[in-house]
Amino acid sequence: MALVVQKYGGTSVGSIERIKNVARRVIKTKRQGHQVIVVVSAMAGETDRLLELARQLAPQNRELNERELDVLVASGEQVSIALLAMAIETMGEKACSFLGHQVQVLTDNAHTRARIKKIDSDRIRQALADDRIVVVAGFQGIDERGNITTLGRGGSDTSAVAIAAGLQADVCEIYTDVDGIYTTDPNVCRRARKLARISYDEMLELASQGAKVLQIRSVEFAKKYAIPIHVRSSFSEVEGTLVCKEDKAMEKAIVSGIAYNKNEAKITIHGVPDRPGVAAAIFSAIAERGIVVDMIIQNVSADNSTDLTFTVPKDDFQRSLEIVSGICREIGAENVAGDEHVAKVSIVGIGMRTHANVASRMFAALARENINIQMISTSEIKVSCVVEDKYTELAVRVLHDEFQLDRELAQEEE
Ligand code: ASP
Ligand code: MG
């Protein structure tokens, strides 16, 4: 008998028919002799619908009370757990649903993006011992003072992994509307291939560079507690992708995946005075407003001044421009320019650590298609290029071909 955690995303519980489908799958696992904990998201579109209601109360994008936003959006998962628990019971198995606070998913108090600190497994264990299928609301928790918190968009993935870690589950399966992790977005590149396995670090890079299958924090959590995640489809029986610890065989692939992100905008400050404290002034002002800067590039200075370019999420573009323009006057920079028509394309692979010419191959492949590279950044297992957004798809396809990602390596055939 194994302890299995299964997580079903919004599309998998998007209608009563689909909830029944999930109930059948869960029951099947139970009847194979396992204990099952199911973590669910809100029904498809529900979280967006709730946020839209709130937005109507926020003219001129005034900031809303985040504590109340959490109370609002946490309601989506309350609906789906109840429906799933009832669906399971009508099919003849015992179930019990729990909200985050009922099983003490304790988080910090950072509303709308809280982090899980601890999970009290007692109540879940009791229900399991009582032969029940346990259905837990994803995405939500409670802070030390009893306020409802949520974990950020896509947070149910993290709930599932945290529960799997907390209860030392044997398996954590994340069911979604795709059947695994692909070398790149199959909607962009027909030749994208499903990976049998991918390491935590590669998955983290792909997720932070724009791949949307798993919430980044869920992968961080899984890595920290060495929980293998099996990403698979709730609509079929095929094996998905295992996100797990790396091993030697995985290093054979130089590039494992390609991600793209169209949700970035670029800001350049010209003629920044070259003296200590200037970058600190600019980026503290941005950080204070909660804006997360991605790439930063500073030129070598000539005549005691330099240029500074960086990227921010598109949603924060206007606000960032305003903040930076203000700072520019204070520090005596020349001018600020912005460009929203950019995208970031990244290649990711742990094999890069041991291969020398990966970046140059990437640049050459883009050059052959006349795609101009505006910014470059690298990490040990990633190279990212900012390009004009209309070339995004082309860049992804060209790189997929260059690194022959459609070909399976021997290690995966074993
Ligand atoms: N319902 C939340 C969202 O839409 C959490 C999740 O689905 O993982 O982001
Ligand atoms: Mg999701």
Side-chain angles (χ1 to χ4, degrees):
M1 181 177 74
L3 175 58
V4 180
V5 174
Q6 298 186 335
K7 180 258 169 177
Y8 292 88
T11 33
S12 304
V13 294
S15 65
I16 292 298
E17 257 334 294
R18 289 186 172 179
I19 288 176
K20 286 192 200 160
N21 170 51
V22 169
R24 277 189 289 270
R25 295 191 81 114
V26 171
I27 288 175
K28 192 169 144 202
T29 310
K30 170 92 185 356
R31 292 189 179 157
Q32 283 163 354
H34 306 305
Q35 291 186 313
V36 191
I37 303 168
V38 200
V39 177
V40 283
S41 295
M43 294 170 78
E46 179 63 8
T47 310
D48 288 335
R49 187 186 72 86
L50 294 167
L51 286 171
E52 174 51 33
L53 290 176
R55 216 162 282 134
Q56 291 175 28
L57 289 172
Q60 281 113 41
N61 279 335
R62 266 193 49 207
E63 279 163 35
L64 290 164
N65 182 324
E66 293 192 325
R67 178 188 182 278
E68 304 310 331
L69 272 174
D70 277 350
V71 174
L72 175 72
V73 291
S75 69
E77 274 70 12
Q78 180 160 354
V79 172
S80 48
I81 55 167
L83 290 172
L84 179 59
M86 289 189 282
I88 293 170
E89 298 227 318
T90 58
M91 294 178 191
E93 287 289 336
K94 289 199 287 178
C96 186
S97 70
F98 291 112
L99 291 167
H101 73 87
Q102 293 175 303
V103 287
Q104 289 291 308
V105 178
L106 189 72
T107 70
D108 60 18
N109 61 3
H111 283 290
T112 75
R113 52 186 174 282
R115 277 178 189 273
I116 297 179
K117 296 208 280 196
K118 211 175 100 205
I119 289 176
D120 174 15
S121 52
D122 284 358
R123 203 128 177 226
I124 297 181
R125 287 209 191 280
Q126 276 168 24
L128 289 172
D130 194 23
D131 206 33
R132 291 178 191 276
I133 293 171
V134 174
V135 185
V136 184
F139 183 49
Q140 54 177 266
I142 189 167
D143 72 5
E144 249 150 18
R145 301 176 58 199
N147 298 299
I148 292 175
T149 54
T150 65
L151 310 177
R153 298 309 304 268
S156 299
D157 296 338
T158 305
S159 306
V161 176
I163 288 171
L167 280 102
Q168 292 167 325
D170 300 286
V171 201
C172 181
E173 297 178 320
I174 305 250
Y175 285 87
T176 171
D177 49 0
V178 293
D179 60 5
I181 309 292
Y182 279 72
T183 49
T184 194
D185 182 350
N187 297 315
V188 168
C189 180
R190 253 186 317 120
R191 293 221 280 274
R193 178 175 57 87
K194 187 171 74 186
L195 296 159
R197 298 189 309 153
I198 187 163
S199 69
Y200 293 124
D201 286 329
E202 288 167 317
M203 193 64 236
L204 275 174
E205 282 286 8
L206 286 173
S208 35
Q209 300 313 319
K212 291 185 200 76
V213 184
L214 288 175
Q215 198 198 31
I216 296 171
R217 277 185 189 168
S218 72
V219 186
E220 286 168 355
F221 224 102
K223 181 182 176 194
K224 187 163 166 202
Y225 295 97
I227 307 282
I229 307 178
H230 188 178
V231 179
R232 57 194 306 185
S233 165
S234 58
F235 302 109
S236 78
E237 296 293 333
V238 296
E239 289 279 306
T241 302
L242 199 66
V243 185
C244 57
K245 247 193 234 154
E246 68 181 73
D247 56 36
K248 274 269 164 272
M250 285 173 162
E251 277 180 27
K252 282 193 206 150
I254 302 173
V255 174
S256 302
I258 300 172
Y260 64 90
N261 185 358
K262 291 186 176 182
N263 185 31
E264 296 212 11
K266 186 178 83 171
I267 294 178
T268 302
I269 315 175
H270 294 285
V272 180
D274 192 11
R275 57 166 195 266
V278 168
I282 296 170
F283 292 106
S284 334
I286 297 173
E288 267 163 29
R289 304 287 300 274
I291 297 170
V292 181
V293 173
D294 181 24
M295 277 195 210
I296 303 178
I297 289 178
Q298 182 183 304
N299 257 340
V300 281
S301 77
D303 311 326
N304 289 326
S305 86
T306 180
D307 299 335
L308 196 72
T309 303
F310 59 94
T311 60
V312 292
K314 262 199 183 114
D315 285 346
D316 295 324
F317 178 61
Q318 284 306 334
R319 270 199 316 146
S320 307
L321 265 187
E322 281 158 30
I323 298 168
V324 171
S325 304
I327 299 271
C328 267
R329 282 190 291 276
E330 278 167 38
I331 60 177
E334 256 162 49
N335 64 60
V336 183
D339 183 355
E340 277 187 282
H341 297 286
V342 295
K344 186 175 63 170
V345 178
S346 310
I347 56 174
V348 171
I350 48 176
M352 272 181 215
R353 291 185 195 131
T354 44
H355 290 82
N357 62 344
V358 184
S360 58
R361 273 175 73 186
M362 178 183 194
F363 305 152
L366 295 176
R368 278 197 297 277
E369 297 294 331
N370 256 320
I371 301 173
N372 189 37
I373 302 170
Q374 303 181 6
M375 296 170 81
I376 299 168
S377 90
T378 62
S379 82
E380 210 190 6
I381 61 165
K382 175 209 75 184
V383 186
S384 299
C385 292
V386 169
V387 299
E388 196 178 339
D389 58 0
K390 69 178 183 197
Y391 295 123
T392 315
E393 286 78 9
L394 177 62
V396 168
R397 286 195 282 266
V398 162
L399 295 169
H400 202 271
D401 284 348
E402 171 64 28
F403 293 100
Q404 301 182 327
L405 294 193
D406 54 334
R407 291 209 202 147
E408 210 149 324
L409 284 183
Q411 54 125 344
E412 298 208 346
E413 284 157 2
E414 277 165 7

